[in-house]
Amino acid sequence: MSEAASIYGLMAEFETHEELLKAAREARDLGYRQMDGFTPFPVEGMPEALGRKRTMVPLIVLCGGIFGGTGGYFMEWYANVISFPLNIGGRPLNSWPSFIPITFELTILCAALAGFFGSLALNKLPQPYHPVFNVPEFRRSSIDRFFLCIDAADPLFEIEKTRNFLLGLNPKSVSEVEP
């Protein structure tokens, strides 16, 4: 276990996204849970193959929109009814049709900001350093290579057993990822 604690994990390099998808499914079927895939473009089915759950971003956007809409309406209501009531032309103080544009705009603004900052937080970004950057071949992950990294923190991770499993998937190479 001390040897496994000295590395972040093992990373296999593949030439095609089909090989990576097959490798991720096999690793998931074998019981590995803490792993990640790196690709130069989105691969359909990859989140499911890695065992990712549904994202919380839609709920965060909904909550941001509800907060923005109610906050915008309350701001206008408070200003026109409580703080500075003016009766102009017999208009009611709580004239909700005139509140709709600002309420709508604040709903969209707060939902967009919540979605942006929520997705950054859920993706743990910005992240200027990650241990996989220590692998020299990883620079090609944004060009034409596909990588599967199994973390040493995984309960099933044993360095030799995991290395043999990854080598059995016929990757281009298998590298140790130093922390």
Side-chain angles (χ1 to χ4, degrees), residues 87-105:
N87 186 358
I88 299 174
R91 176 183 64 83
L93 295 177
N94 186 16
S95 179
W96 67 267
S98 65
F99 297 170
I100 288 176
I102 299 297
T103 302
F104 175 76
E105 292 298 328

Side-chain angles (χ1 to χ4, degrees), residues 33-98:
R33 297 294 181 254
Q34 294 190 10
M35 58 184 165
D36 206 354
F38 302 95
T39 65
F41 55 83
V43 176
E44 189 169 341
M46 194 66 188
E48 294 81 15
L50 291 171
R52 300 284 190 255
K53 297 177 182 153
R54 291 181 54 97
T55 180
M56 295 277 298
V57 173
L59 180 62
I60 292 171
V61 170
L62 175 66
C63 291
I66 290 171
F67 174 77
T70 56
Y73 187 87
F74 177 75
M75 175 185 66
E76 289 185 280
W77 174 84
Y78 181 80
N80 289 318
V81 176
I82 304 296
S83 179
F84 196 66
L86 289 176
N87 186 358
I88 299 174
R91 176 183 64 83
L93 295 177
N94 186 16
S95 179
W96 67 267
S98 65

